[in-house]
């Protein structure tokens, strides 16, 4: 199953700690994984990372960034 792509990053006031960022695009709590990838049998898994410090983060939703899970501006370029 293809992921559902967004057109803009989601900017969050992130807190330090372990985070799971949705990669299937089906979560009802974007940019975070809510388990929808399993419920829909997508075969896609979230990116789980340790965020080192509190701060604003732009989380990629187009899934084309070269710096997952963070936005690198690729969404504004032609596919
Ligand atoms: S809900 Fe999308 S990766 Fe888990």
């Amino acid at each position: 199953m293809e992921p559902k792509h967004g057109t803009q990053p989601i900017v969050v006031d992130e807190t330090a700690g372990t985070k799971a960022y949705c990669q299937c695009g089906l979560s009802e709590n974007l940019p975070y994984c809510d388990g929808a990838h399993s419920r829909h049998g997508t075969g896609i898994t979230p990116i789980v990372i340790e965020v080192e410090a509190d701060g604003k983060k732009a989380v990629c939703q187009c899934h084309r960034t070269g710096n997952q899970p963070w936005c690198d501006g690729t969404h504004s370029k032609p596919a």
Side-chain angles (χ1 to χ4, degrees):
M1 181 177 183
E2 280 293 304
K4 184 176 161 192
H5 302 292
T7 58
Q8 298 280 324
I10 295 176
V11 178
V12 292
D13 281 317
E14 194 56 280
T15 55
T18 304
K19 310 294 171 177
Y21 294 110
C22 176
Q23 294 300 293
C24 73
L26 300 175
S27 172
E28 292 179 9
N29 188 34
L30 288 172
Y32 305 104
C33 174
D34 73 351
H37 65 274
S38 290
R39 292 193 299 277
H40 293 276
T42 63
I44 297 168
T45 54
I47 293 178
V48 180
I49 63 160
E50 190 71 21
V51 174
E52 299 294 329
D54 294 2
K56 272 203 190 318
K57 302 281 189 190
V59 185
C60 173
Q61 300 299 300
C62 74
H63 306 122
R64 293 191 293 128
T65 181
N67 186 32
Q68 285 283 17
W70 314 125
C71 173
D72 70 354
T74 301
H75 65 275
S76 61
K77 299 175 185 151

